[in-house]
Amino acid sequence: MAETGPTTLGDLAFEVRSKNAGPFWVTMELFMRDAQGYAVAADESFLDERTVARLYGVEESSIQMFRIPSLNVVKISFPRPVSQGSLHDRDIHSGQQHVPLALLPVPTD
């Protein structure tokens, strides 16, 4: 029997995505499957600016988080490390930035 790892935010979500929010910002969205998953993702003792800063190597004070309970969505935005399309930009559409967030293990009871 294959061993499974811990439950992640991605497991609880309908979709986790990232995208450009202009040439200088990245936005990530957690579309949770239900209210229980949303409660986990929106829990500030679990997912907060400090956690996002650690995952993405950005300044905690630059992170903006929006919790939208009516949609079961958590939205996170922060400045891109380099501007979109610049010489050192490795993900021009920011389409792969959601992976560390999706793989974040959720707390167990």
Side-chain angles (χ1 to χ4, degrees):
M1 187 163 151
E3 184 177 321
T4 60
T7 300
T8 65
L9 277 176
D11 294 329
L12 301 179
F14 174 70
E15 182 176 11
V16 181
R17 68 181 180 194
S18 55
K19 59 186 179 180
N20 285 328
F24 306 109
W25 285 80
V26 173
T27 291
M28 291 180 286
E29 297 161 325
L30 290 156
F31 294 89
M32 306 312 289
R33 292 184 188 280
D34 53 33
Q36 292 79 20
Y38 174 77
V40 172
D43 183 351
E44 293 183 39
S45 67
F46 165 60
L47 184 59
D48 61 2
E49 291 82 357
R50 180 176 298 178
T51 302
V52 174
R54 178 179 52 80
L55 287 174
Y56 291 95
V58 296
E59 290 292 323
E60 186 176 334
S61 62
S62 70
I63 298 165
Q64 298 177 2
M65 294 186 72
F66 306 92
R67 293 166 178 87
I68 310 166
S70 62
L71 299 175
N72 292 334
V73 170
V74 175
K75 186 172 185 172
I76 302 165
S77 295
F78 55 82
R80 293 173 60 102
V82 297
S83 63
Q84 178 187 20
S86 68
L87 179 63
H88 299 288
D89 185 10
R90 300 181 314 169
D91 185 3
I92 195 164
H93 299 293
S94 296
Q96 300 302 309
Q97 301 303 312
H98 67 281
V99 174
L101 185 63
L103 295 177
L104 186 64
V106 299
T108 57
D109 289 336

